[in-house]
């Protein structure tokens, strides 16, 4: 079958969506009832309003999660390719982390003092990510926010440079977009934001090195903050050599080079920077780093450490605006220790990457069999099913390849067949517990969907 004549039948798609909505309701009475109860106490009926971004008519309630499996309140079992949008990338409740948390829970949860495990955690972070100095936060959002603050403090420069289509958590400076004239604007969807974010941020298209150079040449950019590949607007891999060029441009213009590896830690042991031989000034790793417990880290060079200490000494006494009370708490340090030592191992990566390659191959084969003009873009253990024939080169192309109607129907179809993928775009993650055989139900369901919606 050729891809040239592949069309979605939008009537069939709408009928399928309605039928799958009813099927979900009929087969999930307990989740429907729990959603009804939650409606009385939560905004949009959920404890985090993003939980309504799933395409289900009622919110799926989780009864249990283990390895790469979820069980819902109605007792259905799911193959989980979402893995908490990366928080559970090394599997749900990795046994060493679960044991460490249980043991630490008997010995104190938080003291605003380092635990006896702290020095070993520091050694393990340095060994894994190749940077000598570290700070621990509660979330990747916080880590990014604090890195931007340090970058401005040590350089004395106001601006940060990010790429169109970026997402780095709830960091106001990064919640910006590029308009049609390539000007920086505050992201329209932001709630309650009253500041003009363009005053402190400049946005350029991903991998447009000329635009980066022009922005850096103005001399007011403290740092460039980017993911090694954009993973929050579909998956946009960098052009070969781009990251090295970006690093060189930062060095030339005395701007700091910051890599947010929260998602790209999927690329391999030590993250994407290590895999590609890059030398960022800072890296940020969140979500999965402590096995899914709220915890993130940022690492930096010895030179940066000196500049940060100088900046702090030079400032008047008082709040630095960096850090939170529960950061690096005793429980988080115990989880980090177990995760770095026994979960995020090179052997776990070997397993994940081999399985991910096999899942990618099976997905591609299925697309080909059905003549679907779509592609699978993979970054280690993370991959994205994209409604375009080639991986997008920037956010404009990535957005053009999105189709919310197809996406939501597909996600619901998969869910009703025991498969969970990330509700935002079509991201799939493979954990060390995911098996080659887990690709079969996924590709069967995808193939059946393509047959059902094809014109
Ligand atoms: N950085 C990246 C690249 C992310 O994708 C995200 C969240 N998706 C964050 C930071 C923020 O993580 P958190 O919501 O855990 O703070």
């Amino acid at each position: 079958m050729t891809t040239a004549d592949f069309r979605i039948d939008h009537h069939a798609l709408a009928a399928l969506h309605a039928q799958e909505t009813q099927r979900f309701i009929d087969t999930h009475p307990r989740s429907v009832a729990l959603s009804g109860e939650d409606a009385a106490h939560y905004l949009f009926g959920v404890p985090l309003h993003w939980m309504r971004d799933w395409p289900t008519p009622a919110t799926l309630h989780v009864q249990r999660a283990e390895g790469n499996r979820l069980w819902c309140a109605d007792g259905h079992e799911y193959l989980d390719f979402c893995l908490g949008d990366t928080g559970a990338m090394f599997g749900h409740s990795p046994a060493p982390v679960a044991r460490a948390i249980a043991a630490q829970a008997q010995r104190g949860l938080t003291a605003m003092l380092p635990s006896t495990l702290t020095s070993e955690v520091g050694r393990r972070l340095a060994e894994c990510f190749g940077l000598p100095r570290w700070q621990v936060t509660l979330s990747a959002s916080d880590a990014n926010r604090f890195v931007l603050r340090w970058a401005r403090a040590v350089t004395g420069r106001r601006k940060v440079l990010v790429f169109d289509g970026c997402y780095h958590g709830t960091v106001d400076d990064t919640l910006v977009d590029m308009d049609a004239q390539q000007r920086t604007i505050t992201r329209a969807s932001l709630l309650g934001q009253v500041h003009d974010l363009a005053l402190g941020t400049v946005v350029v298209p991903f991998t447009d090195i000329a635009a980066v150079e022009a922005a850096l040449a103005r001399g007011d950019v403290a740092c460039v903050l980017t993911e090694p590949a954009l993973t929050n607007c579909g998956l946009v891999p960098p052009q070969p050599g781009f990251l090295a060029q970006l690093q060189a441009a930062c060095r030339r213009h005395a701007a700091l080079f910051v890599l947010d590896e929260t998602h790209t830690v999927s690329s391999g042991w030590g993250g994407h920077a290590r895999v590609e031989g890059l030398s960022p000034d800072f890296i940020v790793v969140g979500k999965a780093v402590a096995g899914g417990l709220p915890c993130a880290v940022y690492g930096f060079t010895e030179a940066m450490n000196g500049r940060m200490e100088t900046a702090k000494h030079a400032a008047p006494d008082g709040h630095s605006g960096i850090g939170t009370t529960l950061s690096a708490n005793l429980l988080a340090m115990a989880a980090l220790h177990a995760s770095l030592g026994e979960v995020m191992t090179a052997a776990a990566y070997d397993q994940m990457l081999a399985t991910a390659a096999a899942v990618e191959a099976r997905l591609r084969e299925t697309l080909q069999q059905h003549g679907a003009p779509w592609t699978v873009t993979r970054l280690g253990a993370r991959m994205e099913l994209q409604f375009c024939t080639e991986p997008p080169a920037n956010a404009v192309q990535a957005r053009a390849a999105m189709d919310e109607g197809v996406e939501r129907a597909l996600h619901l179809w998969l869910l009703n067949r025991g498969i969970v993928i990330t509700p935002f775009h079509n991201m799939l993650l493979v954990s060390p517990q995911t098996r080659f055989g887990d690709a079969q139900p996924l590709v069967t369901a995808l193939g059946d969907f393509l047959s059902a919606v094809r014109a």
Side-chain angles (χ1 to χ4, degrees):
M1 207 173 285
T2 69
T3 56
D5 54 355
F6 184 94
R7 298 271 179 286
I8 298 276
D9 176 341
H10 284 276
H11 289 295
L13 185 73
L16 176 147
H17 200 158
Q19 164 206 312
E20 293 300 314
T21 299
Q22 193 54 51
R23 175 172 169 163
F24 183 92
I25 292 169
D26 293 344
T27 53
H28 295 80
R30 187 79 191 119
S31 274
V32 170
L34 288 169
S35 297
E37 289 174 31
D38 293 347
H41 298 294
Y42 296 101
L43 181 69
F44 298 110
V46 279
L48 166 64
H49 72 84
W50 307 352
M51 290 176 179
R52 277 312 302 143
D53 288 351
W54 294 84
T56 50
T59 312
L60 188 76
H61 282 60
V62 175
Q63 195 268 328
R64 184 161 73 88
E66 195 184 310
N68 71 324
R69 300 276 199 284
L70 285 179
W71 288 264
C72 74
D74 289 284
H76 305 303
E77 181 176 332
Y78 299 85
L79 278 174
D80 189 0
F81 290 97
C82 168
L83 297 169
D85 191 20
T86 309
M89 188 171 94
F90 297 98
H92 291 288
S93 285
V97 174
R99 274 196 302 273
I101 292 173
Q104 184 62 48
Q106 307 300 315
R107 298 198 296 260
L109 302 178
T110 191
M112 224 180 69
L113 285 168
S115 80
T116 51
L117 297 173
T118 304
S119 45
E120 184 55 30
V121 168
R123 273 193 291 278
R124 288 179 184 181
L125 285 168
E127 189 198 348
C128 180
F129 296 106
L131 282 166
R133 298 279 185 161
W134 293 87
Q135 288 285 274
V136 179
T137 68
L138 282 179
S139 68
S141 295
D142 269 355
N144 281 315
R145 198 178 352 265
F146 301 152
V147 167
L148 295 190
R149 206 178 259 278
W150 281 119
R152 286 171 164 141
V154 305
T155 60
R157 295 178 177 184
R158 175 174 196 162
K159 293 219 166 175
V160 298
L161 184 147
V162 295
F163 290 101
D164 182 35
C166 74
Y167 185 70
H168 298 285
T170 59
V171 184
D172 286 314
D173 306 81
T174 63
L175 291 164
V176 286
D177 279 326
M178 207 179 66
D179 70 8
Q181 284 76 44
Q182 304 209 341
R183 286 175 309 211
T184 303
I185 51 169
T186 299
R187 197 163 287 179
S189 56
L190 278 196
L191 294 172
Q193 173 52 258
V194 296
H195 302 290
D196 177 2
L197 298 178
L199 294 175
T201 307
V202 54
V203 186
V204 299
F206 191 53
T207 82
D208 184 341
I209 196 69
V212 171
E213 289 277 0
L216 295 185
R218 288 181 210 120
D220 59 355
V221 172
C223 71
V224 171
L225 167 63
T226 187
E227 292 185 88
L230 300 183
T231 68
N232 284 288
C233 125
L235 181 53
V236 183
Q239 304 297 318
F242 170 71
L243 295 170
Q245 288 174 340
L246 182 62
Q247 176 175 292
C250 286
R251 299 277 136 82
R252 254 194 323 281
H253 295 283
L256 306 179
F257 180 43
V258 184
L259 287 179
D260 179 355
E261 293 256 34
T262 298
H263 278 181
T264 53
V265 75
S266 65
S267 286
W269 187 78
H272 197 94
R274 175 158 224 150
V275 171
E276 277 212 26
L278 300 163
S279 328
D281 296 297
F282 284 94
I283 70 165
V284 167
V285 190
K287 296 194 181 185
V289 73
L293 209 71
C295 180
V297 294
Y298 58 99
F300 36 97
T301 60
E302 204 57 54
M304 204 50 56
N305 185 74
R307 292 174 70 183
M308 290 155 76
E309 291 192 355
T310 303
K312 174 69 182 133
H313 288 314
D317 282 346
H319 298 132
S320 62
I322 298 172
T324 58
T325 313
L326 298 182
S327 298
N329 65 69
L330 301 175
L331 194 66
M333 294 308 278
L336 252 182
H337 182 263
S339 173
L340 291 165
E342 299 173 73
V343 178
M344 293 178 67
T345 60
Y349 272 98
D350 288 346
Q351 172 84 37
M352 285 155 84
L353 268 50
T355 315
V359 173
E360 178 196 0
R362 297 295 314 278
L363 285 170
R364 283 183 181 280
E365 196 181 275
T366 307
L367 295 177
Q368 208 173 11
Q369 276 162 8
H370 289 265
W374 298 349
T375 195
V376 181
T377 306
R378 185 167 70 86
L379 205 68
R382 166 184 306 276
M383 70 195 87
E384 181 92 26
L385 173 66
Q386 292 176 300
F387 305 147
C388 48
T389 52
E390 298 294 328
N394 54 44
V396 172
Q397 289 181 18
R399 289 186 196 108
M402 289 178 184
D403 184 327
E404 206 187 325
V406 176
E407 216 174 272
R408 291 182 73 79
L410 172 62
H411 290 205
L412 186 54
W413 172 275
L414 293 175
L415 242 151
N416 279 334
R417 284 151 189 80
I419 295 156
V420 176
I421 71 171
T422 314
F424 322 114
H425 42 96
N426 290 318
M427 197 269 285
L428 292 93
L429 267 174
V430 166
S431 74
Q433 293 82 19
T434 309
R435 296 288 162 258
F436 286 1
D438 293 335
Q440 188 55 50
L442 171 68
V443 296
T444 301
L446 175 63
D448 291 347
F449 176 83
L450 291 169
S451 300
V453 300
R454 183 175 188 158

